[in-house]
Amino acid sequence: MSWASWTTAGVYTGRGGVLTDEGGVVTGDLTVHTTYADGEARVAVQYSGASDWFTMSGSPVPCGSEEESRDLHDAVVAAVREGGGATVPSLPYLSP
């Protein structure tokens, strides 16, 4: 079983924030966390310094490898910075 985890703190949301399953739209200074295991990636966000995590809408997503999960994490961080009610990006994670 392959497993990987990626965390980026201090990500400020763009206008319109991030859409989450549990908390609706969240905005501000967030920590983004992606966990890859068993062929899927799960993405969660939290207010930086808080203890509660929120599932980012669109998570989990199928993910073929640890490398792909890192690309997904980078795409999620970019989407959070963009805002607009961001959700987990669809395939492909990288723009051409």
Side-chain angles (χ1 to χ4, degrees), residues 22-80:
E22 302 87 358
V25 174
V26 296
T27 61
D29 180 6
L30 302 180
T31 297
V32 179
H33 182 76
T34 304
T35 302
Y36 166 73
D38 298 328
E40 73 176 16
R42 296 182 175 273
V43 181
V45 297
Q46 75 176 171
Y47 291 106
S48 292
S51 60
D52 293 331
W53 287 93
F54 301 98
T55 304
M56 192 167 169
S57 293
S59 176
V61 296
C63 196
S65 68
E66 182 177 327
E67 181 178 333
E68 190 176 296
S69 71
R70 177 60 192 195
D71 293 342
L72 171 64
H73 179 79
D74 291 343
V76 167
V77 169
V80 169

